[in-house]
Amino acid sequence: MKVNFKLYASLGQYLPPGAEDHQIALDVDAGISPARLLDQQGVPQAEVHLVLVNGVFIPPGQRDNPLTEGDELAVWPAVAGG
């Protein structure tokens, strides 16, 4: 199935070749979870802070729920500034 995978800020380094504008369409196994997809892409879970699926916040305890065809997974690290 296809999902749109977006990584922002410092996490962008984990996007595969061919990504543009912080995103790429990926072919993934049916029923893959956000947590599993992040693992497959080599994104360290310790660096993941904000996870959205189709614009809806996914708390850490729900990141093992399956994605579906056409979902958009967007992920940000914790950001500090002043």
Side-chain angles (χ1 to χ4, degrees):
M1 71 178 189
K2 282 209 179 273
V3 297
N4 194 28
F5 184 54
K6 297 181 173 185
L7 295 177
Y8 292 97
S10 60
L11 296 180
Q13 67 182 315
Y14 299 103
L15 283 166
E20 294 181 10
D21 297 323
H22 308 286
Q23 64 185 317
I24 191 165
L26 294 177
D27 286 311
V28 297
D29 294 335
I32 194 168
S33 68
R36 180 73 182 122
L37 179 53
L38 290 167
D39 286 343
Q40 282 184 355
Q41 296 301 314
V43 179
Q45 293 291 329
E47 294 182 25
V48 171
H49 178 67
L50 181 63
V51 174
L52 302 178
V53 174
N54 301 325
V56 177
F57 172 69
I58 306 299
Q62 296 178 12
R63 294 179 185 168
D64 287 323
N65 293 342
L67 295 168
T68 59
E69 175 75 30
D71 278 349
E72 178 180 276
L73 174 62
V75 183
W76 286 263
V79 177

